[in-house]
Amino acid sequence: MEAHRKELLKDSEHVFLEPSLKFFPYLLMDVKYTRAYDKTGEGVILWGLVDGEMVINTSTWEKTHGFTDCIASSATRQEFKVINALASHGGSWDRDGLSRYLNIENNVLDTWIDSCRKKSLIVQNGNTYRLHLQSPKLQVIPETRLEHWLVTKPTKHAQRVQKRYRASQIENIAKAAFGNDFAVRKTLEIFLPVYSIVVQNPDSSQMTTYWNALNGKRFLPPYDIE
């Protein structure tokens, strides 16, 4: 609060109210996968059980974008082949390009494309297909870069944010997205402490901001988190 006082309090008529600490659930997965040049990579993935997205780097809390939709539609391994192909090509590609890239029979490709369209994962514009997402971010290494180790455990009476996804849903979507060589060795549910800082405005209205207690940076939870 002191570090961001000038940012949060515009003048002396704006005042801090009592802050609170919320704990957001994440799934920590110990994984292995195939790197380039046929080498095996081992690491961990941190995946949100509230927003359904993977954390790419704990220092910045950069996240993927698009896995939430894939979880909601129960995207399969075959559908992810189309999704990943489009993602690798900037989010859109024509049918001939997809066919050459995936190297599958036309009737199989049509089945996969039709399935993705029915689930609103892709849309068709003429002979071009594109991901039905704004600024998708799905082409990532299946490993979270841990700049801070996560050791905090919420106390018995801590304010825990309710999970929206089951661990099994996260595991299934990760396996579908990252291919046959991806394996989850073990999982652990952990909690990220997030400060809820409330500022009372001169008109008695309130503004709430959230701050990642791990790296001290602004945290953007789902819009309907109280």
Side-chain angles (χ1 to χ4, degrees):
M1 290 167 70
E2 287 302 317
H4 297 277
R5 176 178 288 273
K6 291 183 179 180
E7 176 185 349
L8 297 174
L9 301 182
K10 296 180 180 178
D11 54 43
S12 59
E13 295 184 351
H14 294 75
V15 296
F16 284 126
L17 300 184
E18 188 68 24
S20 62
L21 190 60
K22 298 176 183 289
F23 288 86
F24 282 71
Y26 283 79
L27 188 68
L28 187 69
M29 296 187 287
D30 182 4
V31 304
K32 61 180 180 179
Y33 59 96
T34 298
R35 291 180 182 269
Y37 309 113
D38 295 325
K39 292 184 178 180
T40 294
E42 296 180 355
V44 297
I45 293 178
L46 191 62
W47 208 300
L49 291 167
V50 177
D51 62 9
E53 298 291 346
M54 170 187 156
V55 178
I56 299 171
N57 188 322
T58 60
S59 178
T60 59
W61 219 256
E62 179 188 3
K63 299 184 295 184
T64 56
H65 178 63
F67 282 116
T68 303
D69 295 60
C70 296
I71 295 171
S73 63
S74 299
T76 65
R77 199 178 292 257
Q78 290 75 28
E79 290 160 354
F80 256 109
K81 290 183 178 180
V82 176
I83 293 168
N84 286 334
L86 293 175
S88 70
H89 201 257
S92 66
W93 214 344
D94 60 28
R95 190 182 181 286
D96 290 340
L98 277 174
S99 179
R100 291 193 303 272
Y101 182 85
L102 295 172
N103 193 27
I104 54 176
E105 296 180 2
N106 287 333
N107 61 327
V108 175
L109 177 61
D110 290 338
T111 299
W112 292 1
I113 287 175
D114 189 50
S115 181
C116 288
R117 288 179 59 197
K118 286 180 179 178
K119 292 183 178 182
S120 296
L121 295 171
I122 67 173
V123 292
Q124 181 177 3
N125 295 319
N127 195 39
T128 300
Y129 299 93
R130 66 172 176 84
L131 293 174
H132 198 19
L133 296 163
Q134 182 177 350
S135 302
K137 188 181 293 185
L138 297 167
Q139 286 292 100
V140 296
I141 297 171
E143 184 176 348
T144 297
R145 183 173 178 178
L146 292 180
E147 299 291 343
H148 309 83
W149 191 247
L150 308 169
V151 294
T152 304
K153 290 185 178 181
T155 60
K156 185 177 293 185
H157 301 292
Q159 193 173 0
R160 300 188 185 196
V161 176
Q162 187 174 359
K163 292 184 292 186
R164 293 182 177 172
Y165 303 101
R166 301 184 306 276
S168 59
Q169 289 178 288
I170 301 301
E171 282 194 64
N172 288 340
I173 210 68
K175 290 175 181 176
F178 297 131
N180 294 331
D181 297 328
F182 175 83
V184 178
R185 297 190 290 195
K186 61 181 179 180
T187 63
L188 176 68
E189 187 175 307
I190 63 174
F191 293 85
L192 172 72
V194 174
Y195 287 109
S196 172
I197 297 178
V198 182
V199 172
Q200 183 163 299
N201 301 317
D203 61 359
S204 297
S205 62
Q206 296 179 355
M207 179 188 73
T208 302
T209 57
Y210 296 91
W211 299 83
N212 186 321
L214 192 69
N215 61 17
K217 296 182 179 180
R218 193 78 170 258
F219 182 83
L220 297 177
Y223 69 93
D224 53 352
I225 292 296
E226 297 181 357

